[in-house]
Amino acid sequence: MTPPTRDSNPFATCWTNPLAAEWIAAEGPELGSLVSRLQSTNWRGQIVGPHGVGKSTLLAAMCQHIEGVGRRWVQVTLGSGERGMGWHQLRRTKLTPKTLLVVDGYEQLGSLARRIVRLRSKFSDSGLLVTAHEDVRLPMLAQLVPSLSVTKMVFRRLTFERQTQVTELDVADAFNACNGNIRETLFKLYDLHERHARAARNANIRNAYTVGGDDSPIAAGLVRD
Amino acid sequence: MRVLAANHSPLADIRIEKSDKPFEPGDVLRGSFCVRAEHAAEARSAELSVLWYTAGKGDEDFGVHYFQRYSADGPEAVELSRRREFRTLLPASPLSYDGFVVKVCWCARLRLFLPRGRQSVIEAGFQLGRVAAAHEPTLVSTEEA
């Protein structure tokens, strides 16, 4: 009997969310140089890229570095459908010259709201770091593009300590099916892993059932027959 | 933070009695833990919890069922290298569940507080209840209906 744990699936959110995942700078700039560039632009910048390409992961990694150089940051995450809540939080956030306001999902704001955020940050002399799907007229820190090789590196890291029957060929198939959206690719791999795990478990159960007896998984009520 | 399975940690050992079979709601969970002698001087305190958490494709949740803190300093200092037992009455829910999209997982978790703000977390999982694992969702044709 193996109880379910977070290790049951290497593609579970607990391993792939921006705070847990490690930023891979294989084809992009190093974190240190990004933070230096942000400092040189008076703490104003944008990270641009399509859905699921790793903007939030890069942002989370950058924020750790930003702490390292002694800058205080406040993050507001704007998900689709949460614009009202995020906007409320943005308005209430106290900005000082030592604050770096980090807005993940800046494109969710309308043009007026964006202007207000920029003006507030400008007049309070705080920094402003945002992620967006397209250029929002802030200094460009990084423009991310989907990459199969980076996705394969993510796959190798996730499966280094947790076994899976998912292969790198599956990764390529999922990456193409998801049009390069790495987040969706990982969701697809999650599903694939679950299917493989269930198929393997069913095969074991069939074997155990052949042997039979009161201790069989079906008799123990752990699986449906 | 990296979470180690109980049998993978060089720092501490955590055991749950009779965890090879599912527990039923209302059962008493008995277990014990100790910090390995070579690391006991390093650990400043330890927190032992029995908790459930969800893991899967979406948002995560958790609930702490039992909690006990042990400190190597202060008036109630304990020797962390000595094996300490814990026990708790298991609740009626949530039951362990190996779902396709979400899993409900139970574990005993030991969090060790080390010098310079470092922490180490070790978990030993167990199963509460006998809910069958979910099958892969299949599409059912509605044409015949």
Side-chain angles (χ1 to χ4, degrees):
Chain A
M1 182 210 72
T2 310
T5 72
R6 58 168 67 79
D7 286 311
S8 304
N9 193 319
F11 311 104
T13 312
C14 56
W15 308 118
T16 59
N17 76 70
L19 289 175
E22 209 175 321
W23 167 249
I24 296 175
E27 295 171 4
E30 292 290 336
L31 285 175
S33 69
L34 281 174
V35 175
S36 301
R37 203 185 303 172
L38 183 62
Q39 273 180 299
S40 70
T41 55
N42 199 23
W43 297 98
R44 298 175 81 76
Q46 61 176 330
I47 298 167
V48 175
H51 274 295
V53 76
K55 300 186 293 294
S56 302
T57 304
L58 172 57
L59 199 62
M62 272 188 78
C63 285
Q64 284 181 9
H65 263 249
I66 287 164
E67 264 181 6
V69 296
R71 183 89 184 189
R72 197 177 77 87
W73 55 272
V74 184
Q75 181 167 340
V76 178
T77 302
L78 302 166
S80 51
E82 295 172 345
R83 203 158 51 176
M85 201 166 70
W87 174 237
H88 185 63
Q89 199 184 344
L90 267 175
R91 281 178 55 194
R92 284 188 0 170
T93 302
K94 193 180 169 194
L95 300 178
T96 70
K98 289 193 172 178
T99 311
L100 172 64
L101 176 61
V102 178
V103 185
D104 191 8
Y106 191 68
E107 75 283 340
Q108 301 286 332
L109 295 174
S111 56
L112 180 63
R114 285 187 208 177
R115 188 176 293 179
I116 292 170
V117 170
R118 286 172 69 136
L119 287 174
R120 268 199 74 201
S121 118
K122 193 175 176 183
F123 288 123
S124 60
D125 207 17
S126 70
L128 179 62
L129 172 61
V130 307
T131 68
H133 291 152
E134 54 190 20
D135 190 345
V136 288
R137 294 192 297 158
L138 281 166
M140 186 69 75
L141 285 182
Q143 197 153 13
L144 306 182
V145 288
S147 154
L148 178 57
S149 62
V150 169
T151 311
K152 284 185 176 174
M153 288 174 77
V154 172
F155 168 78
R156 281 179 218 133
R157 287 199 187 174
L158 290 171
T159 56
F160 183 68
E161 288 182 333
R162 289 163 217 102
Q163 288 193 331
T164 184
Q165 289 185 45
V166 177
T167 65
E168 289 201 10
L169 276 176
D170 297 322
V171 177
D173 287 345
F175 182 83
N176 291 329
C178 297
N179 297 318
N181 183 326
I182 300 177
R183 183 171 47 223
E184 290 298 328
T185 300
L186 292 172
F187 283 155
K188 245 189 188 337
L189 299 181
Y190 175 99
D191 290 344
L192 194 57
H193 175 90
E194 286 295 316
R195 270 185 226 121
H196 283 314
R198 276 162 173 70
R201 195 182 308 149
N202 288 344
N204 287 340
I205 289 164
R206 272 195 293 278
N207 290 341
Y209 194 56
T210 310
V211 176
D214 290 342
D215 291 336
S216 76
I218 292 171
L222 288 174
V223 292
R224 296 184 188 125
D225 56 2
Chain B
M1 178 182 303
R2 200 158 167 244
V3 180
L4 291 170
N7 52 353
H8 287 150
S9 173
L11 288 177
D13 177 49
I14 176 165
R15 292 178 198 165
I16 295 174
E17 288 178 21
K18 297 177 184 169
S19 64
D20 55 328
K21 288 193 174 165
F23 290 93
E24 298 296 337
D27 279 355
V28 175
L29 179 93
R30 288 189 173 82
S32 63
F33 77 90
C34 69
V35 180
R36 295 191 200 282
E38 57 270 35
H39 297 285
E42 212 188 353
R44 304 317 318 145
S45 60
E47 289 176 354
L48 188 281
S49 327
V50 175
L51 58 98
W52 61 267
Y53 62 87
T54 61
K57 269 172 95 171
D59 289 343
E60 293 161 340
D61 199 1
F62 76 100
V64 178
H65 173 67
Y66 169 91
F67 178 83
Q68 182 75 49
R69 186 178 166 85
Y70 304 87
S71 179
D73 303 315
E76 293 182 358
V78 295
E79 205 177 312
L80 293 171
S81 62
R82 219 189 83 201
R83 185 164 285 279
R84 307 206 155 260
E85 295 185 348
F86 59 90
R87 62 179 180 172
T88 182
L89 199 65
L90 291 169
S93 68
L95 301 179
S96 300
Y97 178 58
D98 187 1
F100 200 91
V101 175
V102 68
K103 299 172 196 306
V104 180
C105 316
W106 276 90
C107 70
R109 174 185 289 176
L110 181 67
R111 186 184 292 269
L112 293 177
F113 294 86
L114 305 166
R116 294 186 298 280
R118 287 178 303 132
Q119 293 182 20
S120 181
V121 178
I122 302 129
E123 286 183 356
F126 65 92
Q127 182 154 337
L128 177 60
R130 293 166 187 264
V131 179
H135 285 245
E136 183 185 347
T138 47
L139 288 173
V140 179
S141 170
T142 54
E143 282 177 15
E144 288 176 22

